PDB file of all heavy atoms in Angstrom:
ATOM      1  N   GLY A   6      -7.855  -4.472 -11.521  1.00 87.00           N
ATOM      2  CA  GLY A   6      -7.715  -3.521 -10.380  1.00 87.00           C
ATOM      3  C   GLY A   6      -6.267  -3.533  -9.911  1.00 87.00           C
ATOM      4  O   GLY A   6      -5.709  -2.423  -9.574  1.00 87.00           O
ATOM      5  N   PHE A   7      -5.618  -4.629  -9.830  1.00 90.00           N
ATOM      6  CA  PHE A   7      -4.146  -4.626  -9.483  1.00 90.00           C
ATOM      7  C   PHE A   7      -3.321  -3.873 -10.410  1.00 90.00           C
ATOM      8  O   PHE A   7      -2.509  -2.991  -9.986  1.00 90.00           O
ATOM      9  CB  PHE A   7      -3.662  -6.074  -9.435  1.00 90.00           C
ATOM     10  CG  PHE A   7      -2.177  -6.160  -9.242  1.00 90.00           C
ATOM     11  CD1 PHE A   7      -1.649  -5.968  -8.025  1.00 90.00           C
ATOM     12  CD2 PHE A   7      -1.316  -6.367 -10.257  1.00 90.00           C
ATOM     13  CE1 PHE A   7      -0.249  -6.123  -7.772  1.00 90.00           C
ATOM     14  CE2 PHE A   7       0.024  -6.546 -10.111  1.00 90.00           C
ATOM     15  CZ  PHE A   7       0.604  -6.306  -8.855  1.00 90.00           C
ATOM     16  N   LEU A   8      -3.536  -4.020 -11.780  1.00 88.00           N
ATOM     17  CA  LEU A   8      -2.674  -3.395 -12.685  1.00 88.00           C
ATOM     18  C   LEU A   8      -2.883  -1.785 -12.712  1.00 88.00           C
ATOM     19  O   LEU A   8      -1.883  -1.087 -12.782  1.00 88.00           O
ATOM     20  CB  LEU A   8      -3.008  -3.900 -14.090  1.00 88.00           C
ATOM     21  CG  LEU A   8      -2.522  -5.354 -14.372  1.00 88.00           C
ATOM     22  CD1 LEU A   8      -3.050  -5.832 -15.681  1.00 88.00           C
ATOM     23  CD2 LEU A   8      -1.020  -5.494 -14.276  1.00 88.00           C
ATOM     24  N   VAL A   9      -4.125  -1.415 -12.600  1.00 83.00           N
ATOM     25  CA  VAL A   9      -4.401   0.079 -12.713  1.00 83.00           C
ATOM     26  C   VAL A   9      -4.045   0.812 -11.331  1.00 83.00           C
ATOM     27  O   VAL A   9      -3.829   2.006 -11.386  1.00 83.00           O
ATOM     28  CB  VAL A   9      -5.826   0.345 -13.100  1.00 83.00           C
ATOM     29  CG1 VAL A   9      -6.116  -0.183 -14.489  1.00 83.00           C
ATOM     30  CG2 VAL A   9      -6.866  -0.143 -12.102  1.00 83.00           C
ATOM     31  N   LYS A  10      -3.913   0.044 -10.255  1.00 80.00           N
ATOM     32  CA  LYS A  10      -3.664   0.729  -8.958  1.00 80.00           C
ATOM     33  C   LYS A  10      -2.186   0.636  -8.564  1.00 80.00           C
ATOM     34  O   LYS A  10      -1.754   1.321  -7.637  1.00 80.00           O
ATOM     35  CB  LYS A  10      -4.507   0.069  -7.884  1.00 80.00           C
ATOM     36  CG  LYS A  10      -5.996   0.512  -7.915  1.00 80.00           C
ATOM     37  CD  LYS A  10      -6.694  -0.029  -6.706  1.00 80.00           C
ATOM     38  CE  LYS A  10      -8.139   0.443  -6.703  1.00 80.00           C
ATOM     39  NZ  LYS A  10      -8.889   0.005  -5.554  1.00 80.00           N
ATOM     40  N   VAL A  11      -1.392  -0.097  -9.317  1.00 83.00           N
ATOM     41  CA  VAL A  11       0.059  -0.228  -8.954  1.00 83.00           C
ATOM     42  C   VAL A  11       0.755   1.155  -8.981  1.00 83.00           C
ATOM     43  O   VAL A  11       1.480   1.448  -7.979  1.00 83.00           O
ATOM     44  CB  VAL A  11       0.831  -1.173  -9.880  1.00 83.00           C
ATOM     45  CG1 VAL A  11       2.315  -1.018  -9.875  1.00 83.00           C
ATOM     46  CG2 VAL A  11       0.426  -2.593  -9.613  1.00 83.00           C
ATOM     47  N   PRO A  12       0.626   2.045  -9.957  1.00 80.00           N
ATOM     48  CA  PRO A  12       1.213   3.355  -9.919  1.00 80.00           C
ATOM     49  C   PRO A  12       0.890   4.156  -8.644  1.00 80.00           C
ATOM     50  O   PRO A  12       1.671   4.745  -8.048  1.00 80.00           O
ATOM     51  CB  PRO A  12       0.737   4.041 -11.208  1.00 80.00           C
ATOM     52  CG  PRO A  12       0.411   2.884 -12.096  1.00 80.00           C
ATOM     53  CD  PRO A  12      -0.188   1.847 -11.274  1.00 80.00           C
ATOM     54  N   ALA A  13      -0.453   4.186  -8.271  1.00 77.00           N
ATOM     55  CA  ALA A  13      -0.862   4.881  -7.122  1.00 77.00           C
ATOM     56  C   ALA A  13      -0.272   4.325  -5.879  1.00 77.00           C
ATOM     57  O   ALA A  13       0.165   5.013  -4.948  1.00 77.00           O
ATOM     58  CB  ALA A  13      -2.346   4.897  -7.052  1.00 77.00           C
ATOM     59  N   GLY A  14      -0.158   3.003  -5.807  1.00 81.00           N
ATOM     60  CA  GLY A  14       0.430   2.342  -4.663  1.00 81.00           C
ATOM     61  C   GLY A  14       1.898   2.725  -4.451  1.00 81.00           C
ATOM     62  O   GLY A  14       2.333   2.920  -3.390  1.00 81.00           O
ATOM     63  N   GLY A  15       2.568   2.830  -5.685  1.00 84.00           N
ATOM     64  CA  GLY A  15       3.979   3.242  -5.547  1.00 84.00           C
ATOM     65  C   GLY A  15       4.222   4.649  -5.053  1.00 84.00           C
ATOM     66  O   GLY A  15       5.073   4.979  -4.276  1.00 84.00           O
ATOM     67  N   VAL A  16       3.245   5.523  -5.433  1.00 81.00           N
ATOM     68  CA  VAL A  16       3.299   6.982  -4.935  1.00 81.00           C
ATOM     69  C   VAL A  16       3.113   6.990  -3.448  1.00 81.00           C
ATOM     70  O   VAL A  16       3.830   7.719  -2.759  1.00 81.00           O
ATOM     71  CB  VAL A  16       2.239   7.755  -5.648  1.00 81.00           C
ATOM     72  CG1 VAL A  16       2.098   9.142  -4.986  1.00 81.00           C
ATOM     73  CG2 VAL A  16       2.482   7.948  -7.148  1.00 81.00           C
ATOM     74  N   TYR A  17       2.193   6.237  -2.947  1.00 83.00           N
ATOM     75  CA  TYR A  17       1.941   6.251  -1.426  1.00 83.00           C
ATOM     76  C   TYR A  17       3.096   5.661  -0.688  1.00 83.00           C
ATOM     77  O   TYR A  17       3.510   6.185   0.388  1.00 83.00           O
ATOM     78  CB  TYR A  17       0.602   5.551  -1.125  1.00 83.00           C
ATOM     79  CG  TYR A  17      -0.578   6.326  -1.227  1.00 83.00           C
ATOM     80  CD1 TYR A  17      -1.417   6.250  -2.389  1.00 83.00           C
ATOM     81  CD2 TYR A  17      -0.975   7.180  -0.266  1.00 83.00           C
ATOM     82  CE1 TYR A  17      -2.514   7.021  -2.572  1.00 83.00           C
ATOM     83  CE2 TYR A  17      -2.116   7.943  -0.440  1.00 83.00           C
ATOM     84  CZ  TYR A  17      -2.902   7.939  -1.564  1.00 83.00           C
ATOM     85  OH  TYR A  17      -4.007   8.657  -1.728  1.00 83.00           O
ATOM     86  N   LEU A  18       3.698   4.604  -1.259  1.00 88.00           N
ATOM     87  CA  LEU A  18       4.910   4.065  -0.643  1.00 88.00           C
ATOM     88  C   LEU A  18       6.040   5.069  -0.653  1.00 88.00           C
ATOM     89  O   LEU A  18       6.769   5.321   0.379  1.00 88.00           O
ATOM     90  CB  LEU A  18       5.340   2.780  -1.395  1.00 88.00           C
ATOM     91  CG  LEU A  18       4.645   1.495  -1.019  1.00 88.00           C
ATOM     92  CD1 LEU A  18       5.178   0.394  -1.882  1.00 88.00           C
ATOM     93  CD2 LEU A  18       5.033   1.135   0.534  1.00 88.00           C
ATOM     94  N   PHE A  19       6.256   5.691  -1.775  1.00 88.00           N
ATOM     95  CA  PHE A  19       7.323   6.656  -1.929  1.00 88.00           C
ATOM     96  C   PHE A  19       7.222   7.829  -0.822  1.00 88.00           C
ATOM     97  O   PHE A  19       8.216   8.415  -0.346  1.00 88.00           O
ATOM     98  CB  PHE A  19       7.427   7.190  -3.305  1.00 88.00           C
ATOM     99  CG  PHE A  19       8.472   8.212  -3.597  1.00 88.00           C
ATOM    100  CD1 PHE A  19       9.810   7.901  -3.720  1.00 88.00           C
ATOM    101  CD2 PHE A  19       8.162   9.558  -3.700  1.00 88.00           C
ATOM    102  CE1 PHE A  19      10.818   8.766  -3.921  1.00 88.00           C
ATOM    103  CE2 PHE A  19       9.130  10.503  -3.897  1.00 88.00           C
ATOM    104  CZ  PHE A  19      10.495  10.107  -4.038  1.00 88.00           C
ATOM    105  N   ARG A  20       5.945   8.277  -0.666  1.00 86.00           N
ATOM    106  CA  ARG A  20       5.678   9.335   0.235  1.00 86.00           C
ATOM    107  C   ARG A  20       5.605   8.939   1.711  1.00 86.00           C
ATOM    108  O   ARG A  20       5.464   9.722   2.627  1.00 86.00           O
ATOM    109  CB  ARG A  20       4.321   9.998  -0.075  1.00 86.00           C
ATOM    110  CG  ARG A  20       4.265  10.716  -1.427  1.00 86.00           C
ATOM    111  CD  ARG A  20       2.899  11.311  -1.756  1.00 86.00           C
ATOM    112  NE  ARG A  20       2.865  11.992  -3.056  1.00 86.00           N
ATOM    113  CZ  ARG A  20       1.704  12.505  -3.531  1.00 86.00           C
ATOM    114  NH1 ARG A  20       0.600  12.216  -2.906  1.00 86.00           N
ATOM    115  NH2 ARG A  20       1.781  13.197  -4.610  1.00 86.00           N
ATOM    116  N   GLY A  21       5.849   7.718   1.967  1.00 90.00           N
ATOM    117  CA  GLY A  21       5.841   7.132   3.300  1.00 90.00           C
ATOM    118  C   GLY A  21       4.453   7.192   3.959  1.00 90.00           C
ATOM    119  O   GLY A  21       4.258   7.316   5.200  1.00 90.00           O
ATOM    120  N   GLN A  22       3.387   7.091   3.124  1.00 86.00           N
ATOM    121  CA  GLN A  22       1.995   7.100   3.645  1.00 86.00           C
ATOM    122  C   GLN A  22       1.361   5.742   3.669  1.00 86.00           C
ATOM    123  O   GLN A  22       0.161   5.544   3.412  1.00 86.00           O
ATOM    124  CB  GLN A  22       1.192   8.055   2.733  1.00 86.00           C
ATOM    125  CG  GLN A  22       1.596   9.507   2.806  1.00 86.00           C
ATOM    126  CD  GLN A  22       0.916  10.417   1.826  1.00 86.00           C
ATOM    127  OE1 GLN A  22       0.460   9.951   0.853  1.00 86.00           O
ATOM    128  NE2 GLN A  22       0.871  11.738   2.163  1.00 86.00           N
ATOM    129  N   VAL A  23       2.157   4.704   4.124  1.00 91.00           N
ATOM    130  CA  VAL A  23       1.649   3.431   4.323  1.00 91.00           C
ATOM    131  C   VAL A  23       2.162   2.956   5.737  1.00 91.00           C
ATOM    132  O   VAL A  23       3.301   3.047   6.020  1.00 91.00           O
ATOM    133  CB  VAL A  23       2.192   2.411   3.253  1.00 91.00           C
ATOM    134  CG1 VAL A  23       1.745   1.022   3.613  1.00 91.00           C
ATOM    135  CG2 VAL A  23       1.683   2.786   1.853  1.00 91.00           C
ATOM    136  N   ALA A  24       1.202   2.543   6.549  1.00 94.00           N
ATOM    137  CA  ALA A  24       1.619   2.107   7.876  1.00 94.00           C
ATOM    138  C   ALA A  24       1.912   0.582   7.856  1.00 94.00           C
ATOM    139  O   ALA A  24       1.026  -0.191   7.664  1.00 94.00           O
ATOM    140  CB  ALA A  24       0.371   2.310   8.827  1.00 94.00           C
ATOM    141  N   GLY A  25       3.253   0.237   7.965  1.00 94.00           N
ATOM    142  CA  GLY A  25       3.636  -1.108   7.797  1.00 94.00           C
ATOM    143  C   GLY A  25       3.037  -2.090   8.740  1.00 94.00           C
ATOM    144  O   GLY A  25       2.638  -3.216   8.416  1.00 94.00           O
ATOM    145  N   ARG A  26       2.924  -1.668  10.060  1.00 95.00           N
ATOM    146  CA  ARG A  26       2.436  -2.632  11.065  1.00 95.00           C
ATOM    147  C   ARG A  26       0.963  -2.925  10.763  1.00 95.00           C
ATOM    148  O   ARG A  26       0.565  -4.101  10.808  1.00 95.00           O
ATOM    149  CB  ARG A  26       2.560  -2.076  12.469  1.00 95.00           C
ATOM    150  CG  ARG A  26       2.011  -2.955  13.525  1.00 95.00           C
ATOM    151  CD  ARG A  26       2.405  -2.465  14.900  1.00 95.00           C
ATOM    152  NE  ARG A  26       1.763  -3.266  16.028  1.00 95.00           N
ATOM    153  CZ  ARG A  26       0.693  -2.965  16.548  1.00 95.00           C
ATOM    154  NH1 ARG A  26      -0.046  -1.942  16.164  1.00 95.00           N
ATOM    155  NH2 ARG A  26       0.264  -3.698  17.541  1.00 95.00           N
ATOM    156  N   ALA A  27       0.147  -1.928  10.535  1.00 96.00           N
ATOM    157  CA  ALA A  27      -1.247  -2.021  10.182  1.00 96.00           C
ATOM    158  C   ALA A  27      -1.416  -2.912   8.960  1.00 96.00           C
ATOM    159  O   ALA A  27      -2.326  -3.833   8.894  1.00 96.00           O
ATOM    160  CB  ALA A  27      -1.937  -0.736  10.030  1.00 96.00           C
ATOM    161  N   LEU A  28      -0.599  -2.656   7.927  1.00 96.00           N
ATOM    162  CA  LEU A  28      -0.667  -3.454   6.654  1.00 96.00           C
ATOM    163  C   LEU A  28      -0.400  -4.883   6.895  1.00 96.00           C
ATOM    164  O   LEU A  28      -1.092  -5.816   6.457  1.00 96.00           O
ATOM    165  CB  LEU A  28       0.249  -2.895   5.646  1.00 96.00           C
ATOM    166  CG  LEU A  28       0.345  -3.651   4.250  1.00 96.00           C
ATOM    167  CD1 LEU A  28      -0.956  -3.572   3.614  1.00 96.00           C
ATOM    168  CD2 LEU A  28       1.456  -2.991   3.420  1.00 96.00           C
ATOM    169  N   GLY A  29       0.608  -5.185   7.782  1.00 97.00           N
ATOM    170  CA  GLY A  29       0.973  -6.600   8.072  1.00 97.00           C
ATOM    171  C   GLY A  29      -0.219  -7.284   8.744  1.00 97.00           C
ATOM    172  O   GLY A  29      -0.493  -8.455   8.479  1.00 97.00           O
ATOM    173  N   LEU A  30      -0.842  -6.601   9.692  1.00 97.00           N
ATOM    174  CA  LEU A  30      -1.944  -7.232  10.482  1.00 97.00           C
ATOM    175  C   LEU A  30      -3.150  -7.446   9.487  1.00 97.00           C
ATOM    176  O   LEU A  30      -3.895  -8.422   9.594  1.00 97.00           O
ATOM    177  CB  LEU A  30      -2.426  -6.317  11.558  1.00 97.00           C
ATOM    178  CG  LEU A  30      -1.457  -6.225  12.765  1.00 97.00           C
ATOM    179  CD1 LEU A  30      -1.846  -5.155  13.706  1.00 97.00           C
ATOM    180  CD2 LEU A  30      -1.355  -7.552  13.489  1.00 97.00           C
ATOM    181  N   LEU A  31      -3.352  -6.502   8.538  1.00 97.00           N
ATOM    182  CA  LEU A  31      -4.500  -6.693   7.561  1.00 97.00           C
ATOM    183  C   LEU A  31      -4.152  -7.898   6.687  1.00 97.00           C
ATOM    184  O   LEU A  31      -5.054  -8.665   6.428  1.00 97.00           O
ATOM    185  CB  LEU A  31      -4.579  -5.405   6.714  1.00 97.00           C
ATOM    186  CG  LEU A  31      -5.188  -4.177   7.314  1.00 97.00           C
ATOM    187  CD1 LEU A  31      -5.042  -2.951   6.396  1.00 97.00           C
ATOM    188  CD2 LEU A  31      -6.619  -4.410   7.657  1.00 97.00           C
ATOM    189  N   LEU A  32      -2.964  -8.047   6.276  1.00 97.00           N
ATOM    190  CA  LEU A  32      -2.572  -9.194   5.359  1.00 97.00           C
ATOM    191  C   LEU A  32      -2.633 -10.465   6.104  1.00 97.00           C
ATOM    192  O   LEU A  32      -2.884 -11.518   5.442  1.00 97.00           O
ATOM    193  CB  LEU A  32      -1.188  -8.917   4.702  1.00 97.00           C
ATOM    194  CG  LEU A  32      -1.097  -7.703   3.762  1.00 97.00           C
ATOM    195  CD1 LEU A  32       0.315  -7.533   3.336  1.00 97.00           C
ATOM    196  CD2 LEU A  32      -2.019  -7.917   2.535  1.00 97.00           C
ATOM    197  N   LEU A  33      -2.317 -10.463   7.385  1.00 97.00           N
ATOM    198  CA  LEU A  33      -2.422 -11.677   8.185  1.00 97.00           C
ATOM    199  C   LEU A  33      -3.783 -12.353   8.032  1.00 97.00           C
ATOM    200  O   LEU A  33      -3.876 -13.615   8.006  1.00 97.00           O
ATOM    201  CB  LEU A  33      -2.069 -11.376   9.711  1.00 97.00           C
ATOM    202  CG  LEU A  33      -2.020 -12.556  10.603  1.00 97.00           C
ATOM    203  CD1 LEU A  33      -0.882 -13.480  10.204  1.00 97.00           C
ATOM    204  CD2 LEU A  33      -1.863 -12.067  12.048  1.00 97.00           C
ATOM    205  N   GLY A  34      -4.809 -11.530   8.065  1.00 96.00           N
ATOM    206  CA  GLY A  34      -6.177 -12.161   7.879  1.00 96.00           C
ATOM    207  C   GLY A  34      -6.680 -12.126   6.505  1.00 96.00           C
ATOM    208  O   GLY A  34      -7.404 -13.025   5.982  1.00 96.00           O
ATOM    209  N   GLY A  35      -6.249 -11.103   5.704  1.00 96.00           N
ATOM    210  CA  GLY A  35      -6.817 -10.843   4.382  1.00 96.00           C
ATOM    211  C   GLY A  35      -6.347 -11.865   3.388  1.00 96.00           C
ATOM    212  O   GLY A  35      -7.148 -12.290   2.528  1.00 96.00           O
TER     213      GLY A  35
END
C-alpha cells in the first residue's frame, strides 16, 4: 500500500491539498 500510493501522495503535496496541522495531529496518535 505504501509503494503504490506514494505517487498519489506526491501529487496531493504538490497541489497543496494536504493540511499540515491536521496531519501532524493525526500522526501524533496514529
Side-chain angles (χ1 to χ4, degrees):
F7 171 77
L8 291 172
V9 299
K10 286 186 175 182
V11 163
V16 170
Y17 278 96
L18 274 175
F19 179 76
R20 291 178 177 172
Q22 293 174 336
V23 175
R26 179 171 178 266
L28 178 61
L30 290 171
L31 287 172
L32 293 176
L33 183 64

